[in-house]
Amino acid sequence: MAEPQEGAPHRVEIRGLSKSFRRRSGAGTIKPIDDITLSIQDGEFLVLLGPSGCGKTTLLRSIAGLERPDEGSISIDGTTVYDSGRGIFLPPNRRPISMIFQSYALWPHMTIFKNVAYPLRSRKSTRRLGHAEIAARVEQALAKVGLVGLGDQYPGQLSGGQQQRVALARALVSEAQVLLFDEPLSNVDAKVREELRAQLVEMQRELGFTAIYVTHDQAEAMELADRIAVLNSGRIEQLDPPRRVYQRPQSRYVAEFIGSANLVAGVVRSLDERAVVDTALGSFVIEDYTEHWTGDTPLGTGDSVTLMFRPEDCLVDPGPDSRSNMWDVELVRTSFTGVQQHLLVHSGDERLIVLTTNDAQYPEGAKLRLGVERHKLHLLPPVPAESGAA
Ligand SMILES: Nc1ncnc2c1ncn2[C@@H]1O[C@H](COP(=O)(O)OP(=O)(O)O)[C@@H](O)[C@H]1O
Ligand SMILES: [Mg+2]
């Protein structure tokens, strides 16, 4: 197995990676990895986030060596494991990674000891280990995850949290430094899932492994990630820490996928340090607009844009001297989550979502005045007319 290079800047480097499949229906091809370049740092928790079918699993399997890409290169710990140009393709067992599957996939009929020992016993290419060495390594791995003394138990006797630790021990026993997770928590009950996530973050910080974690669940991504790569049809749409992805979405796709977003089409009327944008709801003033514009090219007067604001940034009936943008709406429906009140409102054809912690009760059909502060508005590129997304 490759020795990690001291001081290597990145654990995993992916360059220009592409992979196509012939469609299962037989008609044409799809490209679930489309020119992806991505570096993952040592000890980083990177989440690949996107809807079902966007290519997350294919990318993870390519890093693991379970899938052979068409183009590009992948190196792990400074060793090239795949390079299309140089014809290099190392099989999974020669890559310093461990893959962790859905629901953690422990073998129910094997003791914890045997589950954890499995990767050591099934190694094909490396030297065979003796019983004593295997036992020592397993005990070490169990100690790492705080499960000393549970080796004789079966998975069914352990709590969900303990089972997750066994899966981590099994992944770490072969001394892999990079753990690849493919939606391990997607079949777990919501309540348990929250506990397991919190525990996983703690374990990762403590043990220091590098994680590449696939999920379609944005809340999970936000909680776990140091950085989130938001994937859209095989491409990285945005790569940033969770807070930045939420507060500065680069596109409408990201804004809608992470949290919920109110999106209103507009046209730029004027620009100085602030922008004035005309919409069907009226004119909006955006303070310091260059900070709030996510397009690649400078904004110009007359440009079409998408105005975006988060539901929780909407103020209901702000006072008359508020410096917010204000407009009138009619209440369609309310619902109460215990922490917040959701208001669905409309103005003409525009439907908007408002989240408020005030617990005033508004009757359906109530006329409300909404406000959004001038620095809580974002300007995104307009959406080209799309033929329904996948
Ligand atoms: N072996 C394969 N043959 C043909 N199509 C595949 C194969 N594996 C995946 N795909 C297709 O590639 C796309 C991406 O799949 P996948 O990487 O599993 O997405 P995700 O994990 O984000 O849901 C999907 O349209 C899927 O049907
Ligand atoms: Mg998948």
Side-chain angles (χ1 to χ4, degrees), residues 21-24 30 32 51-59 67:
F21 288 116
R22 196 170 294 280
R23 279 187 194 280
R24 290 192 174 111
I30 40 165
S52 174
C54 73
K56 304 180 296 295
T57 293
T58 307
L59 180 54
E67 203 76 73

Side-chain angles (χ1 to χ4, degrees), residues 47 49 217-225 228 242-243 245-246 258:
V47 173
L49 174 68
D217 178 337
Q218 55 105 3
E220 191 162 298
M222 297 288 282
E223 179 167 349
L224 294 173
I228 300 175
R243 191 176 288 269
V245 171
Y246 189 80
I258 315 272

Side-chain angles (χ1 to χ4, degrees), residues 100 112 116 137-151 158 161-173 179 199-200 202-204 206-209:
I100 291 169
I112 300 310
V116 175
R137 290 247 212 132
V138 170
E139 286 309 326
Q140 221 172 26
L142 288 175
K144 264 191 194 172
V145 300
L147 290 181
V148 172
L150 293 186
L158 303 187
Q162 288 172 320
Q163 290 183 27
Q164 178 172 256
R165 287 164 187 261
V166 174
L168 290 177
R170 186 174 64 184
L172 293 167
V173 77
L179 269 48
Q199 196 193 80
L200 182 58
E202 265 175 50
M203 303 285 299
Q204 191 261 346
E206 195 182 311
L207 299 171
F209 56 84

